[in-house]
């Protein structure tokens, strides 16, 4: 390896001695210019790659924004539906409470109603109420 380096060095010295200074200077300037052109070309290629990557990232970002808007809209719709359901349920709960209070008042005020309310529920009526409840449960699922 050392012999190869020495041989290259001796050829470079002979070439430098044989050529005029202007030729050596011109070769150095041309080499420097070539290196700068190579660096500029590499930088342009890297810039093109980065532009393409940025474009891809922007497209992905736009798609993700659409997904966020879609799910945000869905959440607002569900929230509105749940609020309406809760309002309806609150009205139903109040209605049930009023009906129960009226039934208790009727039991207190009317002796025959109190006797009837104190009796056990007939099996057929209990079975019918259970079947209604099961049908209602299946319809909501």
């Amino acid at each position: 390896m050392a012999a190869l380096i020495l041989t290259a060095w001796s050829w470079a010295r002979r070439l430098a001695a044989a050529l005029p200074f202007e030729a050596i200077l011109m070769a150095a300037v041309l080499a420097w210019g070539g290196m700068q052109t190579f660096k500029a070309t590499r930088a342009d290629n890297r810039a093109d790659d980065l532009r393409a990557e940025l474009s891809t990232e922007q497209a992905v970002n736009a798609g993700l924004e659409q997904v966020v808007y879609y799910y945000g809209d869905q959440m607002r719709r569900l929230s509105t539906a749940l609020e309406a359901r809760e309002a309806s349920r609150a009205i139903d709960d109040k209605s049930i409470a009023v009906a129960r209070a009226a039934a208790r008042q009727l039991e207190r005020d009317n002796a025959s109603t109190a006797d009837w309310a104190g009796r056990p529920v007939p099996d057929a009526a209990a079975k019918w109420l259970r079947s209604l409840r099961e049908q209602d449960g299946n319809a909501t699922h």
Side-chain angles (χ1 to χ4, degrees):
M1 181 63 130
L4 180 64
I5 293 172
L6 288 175
T7 304
W9 179 253
S10 67
W11 284 354
R13 281 184 38 185
R14 284 187 206 155
L15 184 61
L19 292 175
F21 176 74
E22 291 84 12
I24 294 172
L25 184 60
M26 187 179 292
V29 167
L30 286 174
W32 181 81
M35 286 175 39
Q36 294 306 315
T37 302
F38 176 73
K39 286 180 183 178
T41 303
R42 255 186 33 203
D44 284 344
N45 289 342
R46 179 69 180 139
D48 289 342
D49 291 345
L50 289 174
R51 278 189 214 100
E53 188 177 328
L54 177 62
S55 175
T56 302
E57 295 298 327
Q58 287 172 338
V60 168
N61 189 31
L64 290 175
E65 284 178 357
Q66 291 297 322
V67 168
V68 166
Y69 291 139
Y70 172 77
Y71 283 111
D73 186 48
Q74 293 290 48
M75 287 177 62
R76 282 187 289 281
R77 283 184 187 180
L78 288 172
S79 178
T80 302
L82 284 174
E83 288 172 3
R85 181 175 178 239
E86 287 299 317
S88 174
R89 187 173 177 170
I91 291 170
D92 291 345
D93 287 346
K94 286 179 185 176
S95 175
I96 290 169
V98 167
R100 285 182 178 162
R104 280 191 291 276
Q105 185 66 37
L106 186 60
E107 285 178 32
R108 275 184 250 135
D109 293 346
N110 190 329
S112 63
T113 304
D115 288 342
W116 179 81
R119 292 185 200 155
V121 176
D123 291 337
K127 184 177 178 182
W128 177 69
L129 286 173
R130 275 193 293 274
S131 70
L132 283 179
R133 208 176 282 152
E134 288 172 3
Q135 286 175 358
D136 185 44
N138 291 337
T140 59
H141 295 283

